[in-house]
Amino acid sequence: MRHLAPPCLLLALAACGGDFSNDDLEFLNALPQREDLSVTTPGERMGGGTGQRLVRQGKVGSPSALMEKLGDASALVGNTDETGRDINESIGGILDSVESITRLTPTKREPNRRVWGPILGKNDMEFDTRFVMTREGERFEYQTQYRRVGGGENDWWSFLEGTFQADGGVRKGTGRLSIDWKRAREEEWLFSVDFLDGQEIRYQTQRLPTQVELEYFGPLPDIFPGRYMYREAEGDLAEMTFEMRGTDFVPGGLPENVALVTRWAPDGRGTALLEILSGDIVGAKYTECWDAQGRVTFISRSWDFLNPTEGVRASCPDMSALDR
Amino acid sequence: MSPPLLPSWRALAALLVLAASAAHADSLRRFALVAGNDEGGDETRPLRFAQDDARKMHGLLTRLGGVAPGDAKLLLNESSKDFLAALTSLEARAKEAQARGERTALLVYYSGHAKDGTLRLGNSRLGFEDLKQRLSNAPADIRIAILDSCRSGALTRTKGARRAPSFEIESGAARDARGLVILTSSSADEDSQESDALSGSYFSHHLASGLLGDADRSGDGRVTLFEAYSHAYARTVADTAASSGGAQHPTFSYDLAGNGDLVLTDLRAGGDGLVVPGLAPAGTYYFVDPAGLVVAELDKRPDVERRVALAPGTYRVKRRLSDRLRIGEVEVARGRQVVLEEARLRDAPFSDDPVKGAAPEGGAWWTVGLSGGVQSFLDAPTRDTLFLSVGMLGAEAQLHDYFRRDWVWGVDVAVGGKQAVLALPTLSGPAYRYSVTSLGTTLTSEWPQGRVTPFVGARMAYQVMRRDFADEAYPDQKFAMFSPGVVAGLRWQLLRSLHLTGRGRLHYLLYTVDEQRSLGFWELSALVTYQP
């Protein structure tokens, strides 16, 4: 009986404790979820909504003002779809790394601080990993940090940094998340991504229209489009703003860099406003509307004095909620 | 003088003598020290019913024995020091009464352990000889010691007391008795035995039953000291003859000047009681309280009216025949004499014996039950955002009188839960289900008071709290911890096998996740238990 007491006591102690924590929930709430930052695309709306989407034949990445005709499938819808998928893929990769850690229970709980890890590097791994979150009032900061195996507390460096200003609701607030690719190369944690120095996601989810912005920083800004923005307004209206580089949008000797704003409604109808940033006719604007099946219903070319518009402007959906 | 009136004058004279005697008896100021102690210190096993015996005797003396409540002291599990202090206090008051010209009687009753010539009051001791010396010198006209303890007969064997040769002691003499009387429950070399079936010692039970009326052999509605003793002697010897401890022989000694008897109880004093009419069938009647304990017995002879001074309450009556029982129920109202009507008794098989102690060996008994209640934390932020207030449903099993008389050991399980919406400073809105599971074990001590039994005790619970979120972005959370607490409440016997309990619990919980915080929660619940 005397020998049974210690194991019984240990068993009882092992059965105590848990993860029932309000603070844990508030910390987790400060981290963006995939659905908060993911982009819906006009193609998804059409496919899941009003009917079969028309698919434009040809290379989606090279729209031409001359190719767009009333009744044809819009090439800009395809460009928006593809860009949206790229954004989701990029954000998803970042969030994967965060989620893989925060799915676990915090290793250390301190007032206004949580630490997951360190997850020690073993075998051929050269780096230890940890995820740290701090809180001050309604503002949260977090970092994914690495250090070389055997390093000390001062050797941690941040690969991913984020902030979130909470607004009380379910992941409602303003946040920022950045990746330091340059530091990763300097620390020899990464070798392959040499065309990027950094990447930043900024978002706000506390009021409509919500907004997610993705920006890349690198040594070659001219050939790599740097900024994407996605917004959602009342009535599930969506907008994407992005640039396309090196297109031959209008005839002439120069390739065009264009800024594109596409907007679409839940039923699949949408509009696109394209502005030529560089190339043959800098400053020229192209507007297009499409119906629920993605067919072009209206075209406006600012440089075409003879035939500036085609189709019926009234066929364009009302997107004014995105202007607020 | 008219000859025809002579018988009337004689009757009147007799009445006057009786009235004078009664008045004289009433002028006797009575003091009582009643002590019961279950503990006897080293080398003794705790008794189960010594305190109960003392409670019963105290109640009986103050209700029927002419002892004013202010002149009686009840000591439960107190030390010899307290015993002597209480005796000193009563002696002082008796002395004052004597100084005022009152006749006085001092009765000392003790139920508990005795060993090696001493009373054992817990870890303290009081020598037989010291007690006897003290009583011999006590400033009261009559001193009566009733000792219900092992080998207490040694007290009557010592110098200064004459052993009573028999119990046919004449009473009703002209002179008032003065001196010392000692009653003991067993002889100098015998143990005094307790009975689970009686929930008391054999001697005290039969003494109490006799004082309630069974010992009133003269049928005058009064039970004298000698009647009570002779009754207790006969019944104790008879009941213990076949016991494993062997026959137990109470003793009686006296050192009296004068030869008057002393009335110990007046069966009409309370005005309430039960009359068994002369026409009622002969036999032994048992009167059983709601807890299933035999309060009194009555040996009824043919064509003789008997009286039992039962306290107001409801009793089950049992008369045993050779092939069956006759049982029924009577309600004794306050201030009223109730007549037992044979027509209200019915035949019943032996299996329906209302006496609780008749069934389980060793006196232990089980109950199982269902409970419903509320759990809530004391700290408002905690109960609003962490561990919510919830309704609980549960099941319990209790083991009564196993470890010790009136101790109850129980195990319980309860679950509760509710839907809620999270409301934290930086996060509000997620819906979740909060649930609590509680496993507990409780040890309580009860103080039966008829149908109602108050209790207090300690409980150790294993609490498991969970919250499960509808939104998968938030992990389901759990916390488990042992939680000590206290419990108090009242158990009410609705029917013979059905009890209703109302209770409150107060628990301590150490929360260790975000930080170490001491929390408290309470539970209020009702419990319905069934005794199989």
Side-chain angles (χ1 to χ4, degrees):
Chain A
M1 196 68 186
R2 191 180 301 170
H3 301 296
L4 280 176
C8 287
L9 191 61
L10 286 175
L11 197 65
L13 290 175
C16 293
D19 56 1
F20 204 109
S21 162
N22 284 340
D23 284 354
D24 279 7
L25 296 174
E26 291 189 273
F27 275 106
L28 288 177
N29 186 60
L31 298 174
Q33 294 289 314
R34 197 175 299 265
E35 61 265 31
D36 300 327
L37 305 187
S38 66
V39 170
T40 60
T41 58
E44 288 174 31
R45 300 278 173 89
M46 292 169 190
T50 54
Q52 185 66 38
R53 177 191 170 192
L54 295 177
V55 179
R56 171 73 173 269
Q57 298 298 314
K59 190 179 178 188
V60 173
S62 302
S64 166
L66 297 178
M67 291 174 67
E68 299 291 354
K69 292 178 182 170
L70 290 178
D72 284 353
S74 168
L76 296 180
V77 171
N79 294 133
T80 305
D81 284 350
E82 187 172 286
T83 303
R85 283 194 294 273
D86 289 344
I87 293 173
N88 285 342
E89 195 174 324
S90 177
I91 292 175
I94 295 169
L95 295 183
D96 277 348
S97 66
V98 174
E99 287 173 0
S100 65
I101 295 176
T102 55
R103 228 178 270 130
L104 307 172
T105 303
T107 311
K108 189 187 288 185
R109 293 184 175 91
E110 298 170 5
N112 297 317
R113 188 168 185 262
R114 291 290 185 276
V115 179
W116 285 260
I119 301 161
L120 301 177
K122 291 177 183 173
N123 302 327
D124 58 344
M125 293 170 66
E126 297 177 9
F127 291 87
D128 300 333
T129 312
R130 74 175 183 182
F131 187 77
V132 181
M133 290 192 79
T134 55
R135 161 186 180 168
E136 189 173 345
E138 295 179 342
R139 180 179 171 79
F140 295 81
E141 294 186 357
Y142 49 91
Q143 298 93 30
T144 300
Q145 296 182 320
Y146 297 97
R147 74 176 176 198
R148 285 204 171 271
V149 170
E153 187 63 25
N154 295 327
D155 296 326
W156 291 107
W157 58 273
S158 296
F159 171 64
L160 179 150
E161 288 184 325
T163 62
F164 183 72
Q165 182 70 36
D167 192 44
V170 177
R171 295 189 296 280
K172 298 293 186 213
T174 306
R176 183 188 66 80
L177 199 155
S178 66
I179 292 195
D180 193 344
W181 295 106
K182 188 177 179 185
R183 180 72 184 268
R185 286 196 297 272
E186 289 168 359
E187 297 285 347
E188 298 181 340
W189 184 80
L190 182 76
F191 298 101
S192 57
V193 185
D194 54 358
F195 55 91
L196 273 181
D197 286 344
Q199 181 178 351
E200 183 166 297
I201 300 167
R202 295 178 292 274
Y203 62 95
Q204 79 81 14
T205 53
Q206 69 189 80
R207 62 185 174 279
L208 293 172
T210 59
Q211 180 173 312
V212 180
E213 204 172 344
L214 172 64
E215 190 167 6
Y216 293 99
F217 307 97
L220 305 169
D222 290 339
I223 62 167
F224 195 78
R227 189 164 168 269
Y228 302 83
M229 188 164 72
Y230 173 79
R231 299 196 302 146
E232 269 190 17
E234 292 168 10
D236 285 340
L237 301 181
E239 174 192 273
M240 193 183 298
T241 303
F242 57 101
E243 294 179 9
M244 300 174 69
R245 311 234 168 184
T247 66
D248 187 20
F249 189 70
V250 293
L254 298 173
E256 280 79 38
N257 290 342
V258 297
L260 190 61
V261 178
T262 55
R263 293 177 168 182
W264 58 98
D267 61 3
R269 294 184 302 148
T271 67
L273 173 63
L274 185 148
E275 182 177 357
I276 298 173
L277 301 175
S278 64
D280 291 317
I281 44 174
V282 175
K285 291 181 180 176
Y286 172 83
T287 303
E288 180 183 292
C289 297
W290 60 84
D291 64 12
Q293 282 72 43
R295 288 185 297 239
V296 176
T297 58
F298 174 75
I299 294 172
S300 167
R301 304 180 184 88
S302 65
W303 65 89
D304 189 343
F305 299 104
L306 297 175
N307 192 19
T309 63
E310 291 179 49
V312 182
R313 186 181 291 273
S315 66
C316 298
D318 177 14
M319 296 286 175
S320 57
L322 286 162
D323 295 328
R324 292 175 196 143
Chain B
M1 179 176 291
S2 170
L5 291 177
L6 189 57
S8 300
W9 280 110
R10 281 181 179 165
L12 181 59
L15 279 173
L16 285 173
V17 169
L18 280 175
S21 173
H24 204 66
D26 286 343
S27 70
L28 184 66
R29 177 81 177 270
R30 297 162 187 246
F31 299 90
L33 172 58
V34 181
N37 200 316
D38 290 330
E39 304 292 338
D42 297 338
E43 302 171 1
T44 63
R45 293 174 56 189
L47 297 170
R48 301 180 64 197
F49 308 116
Q51 292 189 80
D52 292 345
D53 288 340
R55 282 193 202 95
K56 269 188 274 187
M57 192 57 67
H58 177 265
L60 214 154
L61 290 174
T62 52
R63 191 166 66 86
L64 304 171
V67 182
D71 290 338
K73 286 190 181 294
L74 174 63
L75 303 180
L76 299 176
N77 278 8
E78 305 278 3
S79 68
S80 60
K81 188 179 172 186
D82 299 318
F83 183 93
L84 291 174
L87 184 57
T88 302
S89 168
L90 290 176
E91 284 172 343
R93 298 174 65 178
K95 196 171 183 179
E96 290 171 9
Q98 273 190 329
R100 290 193 297 268
E102 294 179 59
R103 286 193 73 238
T104 56
L106 173 62
L107 190 147
V108 174
Y109 170 90
Y110 170 76
S111 179
H113 275 287
K115 197 173 183 184
D116 303 329
T118 61
L119 301 182
R120 299 282 197 93
L121 294 94
N123 289 318
S124 63
R125 301 181 181 201
L126 178 59
F128 283 168
E129 194 60 37
D130 295 338
L131 175 62
K132 190 177 164 198
Q133 193 65 37
R134 180 73 178 260
L135 291 174
S136 297
N137 299 328
D141 296 302
I142 299 176
R143 286 88 64 195
I144 302 165
I146 302 174
L147 304 181
D148 187 354
S149 57
C150 295
R151 292 168 172 76
S152 50
L155 192 65
T156 59
R157 208 172 53 178
T158 54
K159 186 181 173 186
R162 283 179 287 151
R163 198 94 182 250
S166 71
F167 309 113
E168 296 172 0
I169 294 173
E170 294 182 4
S171 60
R175 287 194 300 137
D176 293 323
R178 292 174 187 275
L180 175 65
V181 180
I182 300 173
L183 276 66
T184 70
S185 60
S186 58
S187 63
D189 54 357
E190 290 174 349
D191 288 334
S192 289
Q193 301 168 47
E194 290 187 323
S195 164
D196 290 329
L198 297 173
S199 289
S201 78
Y202 286 102
F203 176 73
S204 284
H205 170 76
H206 289 303
L207 181 63
S209 178
L211 291 173
L212 283 169
D214 199 16
D216 183 20
R217 282 192 292 183
S218 65
D220 63 354
R222 295 176 173 191
V223 179
T224 67
L225 177 63
F226 301 112
E227 283 178 326
Y229 174 68
S230 58
H231 172 83
Y233 178 90
R235 296 305 304 272
T236 301
V237 172
D239 276 9
T240 57
S243 73
S244 57
Q248 174 186 330
H249 298 83
T251 72
F252 178 94
S253 74
Y254 65 97
D255 183 12
L256 293 173
N259 53 359
D261 199 354
L262 175 70
V263 174
L264 280 185
T265 54
D266 181 348
L267 306 185
R268 295 184 178 89
D272 34 44
L274 181 112
V275 174
V276 182
L279 291 176
T284 302
Y285 289 73
Y286 298 87
F287 302 95
V288 184
D289 72 6
L293 303 178
V294 176
V295 176
E297 301 173 21
L298 194 66
D299 185 20
K300 167 76 171 61
R301 303 285 170 82
D303 301 324
V304 177
E305 181 182 280
R306 300 298 306 273
R307 186 181 305 275
V308 193
L310 294 171
T314 303
Y315 299 88
R316 300 195 81 188
V317 183
K318 176 183 87 170
R319 192 175 77 251
R320 191 182 181 90
L321 305 181
S322 60
D323 58 343
R324 66 189 188 281
L325 299 174
R326 293 280 290 166
I327 60 175
E329 193 169 279
V330 291
E331 177 88 26
V332 177
R334 187 172 299 280
R336 293 188 59 190
Q337 295 277 344
V338 180
V339 177
L340 178 65
E341 297 170 18
E342 175 64 18
R344 298 188 64 179
L345 303 186
R346 61 178 174 81
D347 288 335
F350 290 123
S351 58
D352 282 359
D353 195 324
V355 180
K356 185 189 82 177
E361 183 67 26
W365 46 291
W366 278 96
T367 58
V368 291
L370 298 173
S371 66
V374 178
Q375 181 190 83
S376 183
F377 277 75
L378 304 177
D379 176 53
T382 299
R383 67 171 177 264
D384 290 342
T385 63
L386 197 67
F387 302 136
L388 311 181
S389 300
V390 289
M392 306 278 287
L393 288 174
E396 302 193 16
Q398 295 178 332
L399 178 60
H400 295 248
D401 299 342
Y402 180 77
F403 297 107
R404 191 170 174 174
R405 166 117 177 120
D406 293 332
W407 280 25
V408 182
W409 175 63
V411 291
D412 59 85
V413 58
V415 294
K418 68 195 289 190
Q419 288 296 132
V421 174
L422 201 64
L424 303 175
T426 66
L427 170 60
S428 58
Y432 66 99
R433 174 159 185 80
Y434 174 77
S435 59
V436 182
T437 302
S438 173
L439 300 168
T441 180
T442 307
L443 187 64
T444 57
S445 180
E446 297 187 331
W447 290 270
Q449 311 285 325
R451 281 177 178 269
V452 177
T453 302
F455 61 87
V456 299
R459 180 170 182 262
M460 177 60 77
Y462 181 64
Q463 296 280 129
V464 181
M465 290 92 158
R466 284 188 61 91
R467 55 183 170 194
D468 298 284
F469 288 91
D471 186 342
E472 290 183 357
Y474 301 102
D476 298 335
Q477 296 182 324
K478 187 185 91 169
F479 180 69
M481 186 55 75
F482 286 93
S483 169
V486 293
V487 57
L490 286 174
R491 180 165 61 82
W492 182 38
Q493 186 172 22
L494 294 171
L495 301 170
R496 181 168 172 255
S497 298
L498 201 64
H499 301 252
L500 175 64
T501 300
R503 68 170 172 226
R505 292 171 176 161
L506 190 60
H507 269 261
Y508 169 82
L509 185 84
L510 180 64
Y511 174 71
T512 57
V513 183
D514 283 336
E515 57 185 333
Q516 289 222 341
R517 281 167 59 200
S518 292
L519 302 174
F521 67 87
W522 55 262
E523 290 180 359
L524 283 178
S525 56
L527 170 70
V528 177
T529 50
Y530 172 71
Q531 179 185 349

